[in-house]
């Protein structure tokens, strides 16, 4: 049984929920973080039913004081965190000329400020343990994506942030890596389908035609990659960006 504590943000649903379940199955005690604590209950209950340990924590990752308090609570109730998966995310898509400053700021705030605040709040317990794993969710959109100037910039920023953490924290036994998913079936992609006036099944079929493995991805595909990066044996893998997209991306 792995006694380590992992934090997964944005874990009430979608990729984060899949990652939380997988890390619990791998033996981690898992703090399931999302905006709404009640929304985390389903994932926590599933983990506990399977014999794991989990804690629901409601926090906006972009709020400095709330993040500090949440990490202190997790340390007290589950154990000091040595694994962090920065997964919480939002999209506010629009073409540049229609993109509001609020939509720019909101996306930067959740993806970049949120990842920074959680990493800063947890690095101390990782350094103290002489062991830690940070995994940040980037995206294939980091390579550029029409209608996503804010999101693409944030997800490219996540990659630079990740590489810098790898450089700074490596000497303490802490690795930092990024996963850049392609199309994953979640409420985020369902919302995109709705925005452009397509049914989700139709949207997935269209997307799959462009993907070399001829299917869209699932949260389990990403959870599998996270499981590798946080594993004991992955201590020599750091500062990498793994595209999990059913085909090559550069
Ligand atoms: P999702 O289904 O929309 O889930 C995102 C979760 O993050 C939601 O539960 C959301 O809570 C939570 N969240 C949003 N803002 C937050 C905040 N400020 N503080 C705490 N939690 C917050 O998204 P997903 O598809 O699983 O995506 C997860 C991550 O993968 C994101 O970083 C996304 O950018 C990235 N990604 C996804 C895809 C894809 O195809 N799905 C592709 C590439 C990258 P609420 O429900 O309360 O808003």
């Amino acid at each position: 049984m792995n006694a380590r504590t992992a934090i997964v943000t944005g874990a009430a649903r979608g990729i984060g929920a899949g990652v939380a379940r997988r890390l619990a199955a791998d033996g981690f005690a898992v703090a399931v973080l999302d905006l709404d604590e009640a929304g985390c209950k389903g994932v926590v209950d599933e983990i506990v039913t399977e014999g794991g340990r989990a804690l629901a924590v409601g926090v906006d990752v972009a709020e400095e004081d709330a993040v500090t308090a949440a990490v202190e609570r997790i340390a007290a109730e589950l154990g000091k965190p040595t694994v962090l998966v920065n997964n919480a995310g939002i999209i506010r898509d629009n073409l540049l000329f229609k993109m509001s400053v609020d939509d720019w700021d909101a996306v930067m705030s959740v993806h970049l400020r949120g990842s920074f605040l959680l990493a800063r709040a947890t690095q101390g317990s990782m350094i103290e343990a002489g062991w830690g794993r940070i995994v940040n969710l980037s995206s294939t959109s980091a390579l550029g994506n029409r209608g996503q100037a804010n999101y693409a910039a944030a997800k490219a920023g996540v990659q630079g942030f990740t590489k810098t953490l790898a450089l700074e924290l490596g000497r303490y036994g802490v690795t930092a890596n990024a996963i850049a998913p392609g199309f994953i079936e979640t409420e985020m992609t369902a919302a995109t389908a709705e925005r452009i006036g397509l049914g989700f099944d139709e949207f997935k079929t269209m997307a799959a035609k462009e993907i070399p493995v001829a299917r869209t991805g699932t949260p389990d595909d990403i959870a599998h990659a996270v499981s590798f990066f946080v594993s004991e044996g992955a201590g020599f893998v750091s500062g990498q960006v793994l595209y999990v997209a059913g085909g090559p991306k550069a």
Side-chain angles (χ1 to χ4, degrees):
M1 190 68 184
N2 195 327
R4 299 193 192 280
T5 296
I7 295 177
V8 185
T9 70
R13 66 171 199 230
I15 293 171
V19 170
R21 286 190 208 98
R22 174 62 188 257
L23 295 190
D26 289 349
F28 292 93
V30 182
V32 179
L33 257 75
D34 211 291
L35 280 170
D36 175 25
E37 183 164 327
C40 301
K41 196 175 174 308
V43 177
V44 167
D45 287 350
E46 281 177 57
I47 290 172
V48 171
T49 302
E50 293 293 320
R53 287 177 67 220
L55 178 70
V57 183
V59 62
D60 180 342
V61 296
E63 296 279 342
E64 183 178 11
D65 292 345
V67 167
T68 305
V71 171
E72 281 170 8
R73 183 180 159 211
I74 292 160
E77 295 186 31
L78 270 190
K80 291 183 182 179
T82 51
V83 171
L84 169 65
V85 183
N86 279 313
N87 167 83
I90 58 169
I91 47 172
R92 295 284 184 275
D93 297 352
N94 233 326
L95 292 174
L96 180 63
F97 77 103
K98 287 194 281 188
M99 187 173 285
S100 70
V101 169
D102 281 351
D103 285 348
W104 176 271
D105 288 346
V107 167
M108 292 302 151
S109 187
V110 178
H111 296 275
L112 287 176
R113 184 181 160 97
S115 298
F116 155 67
L117 290 175
L118 263 301
R120 194 182 61 173
T122 54
Q123 52 87 33
S125 55
M126 297 186 198
I127 289 172
E128 190 184 309
W131 189 95
R133 301 280 187 262
I134 298 171
V135 181
N136 298 318
L137 268 290
S138 179
S139 167
T140 51
S141 294
L143 302 167
N145 199 22
R146 186 179 161 81
Q148 290 196 314
N150 49 2
Y151 185 78
K155 291 306 200 185
V158 163
Q159 297 189 10
F161 176 64
T162 303
K163 291 176 190 195
T164 303
L165 296 186
L167 292 172
E168 291 189 16
L169 301 175
R171 73 188 61 187
Y172 306 106
V174 179
T175 66
N177 292 285
I179 294 173
F183 188 120
I184 306 297
E185 299 161 12
T186 68
E187 286 186 37
M188 186 178 273
T189 37
T192 302
E194 197 177 330
R195 190 175 63 82
I196 61 176
L198 290 177
F200 196 30
D201 284 341
E202 191 185 353
F203 189 44
K204 283 191 288 187
T205 303
M206 268 176 53
K209 287 188 179 135
E210 307 297 321
I211 300 171
V213 301
R215 68 168 177 89
T216 47
T218 67
D220 284 347
D221 290 314
I222 305 305
H224 193 69
V226 174
S227 177
F228 164 70
F229 277 132
V230 307
S231 65
E232 298 294 326
F236 205 55
V237 182
S238 196
Q240 300 304 302
V241 179
L242 181 64
Y243 283 87
V244 181
K249 298 279 170 185

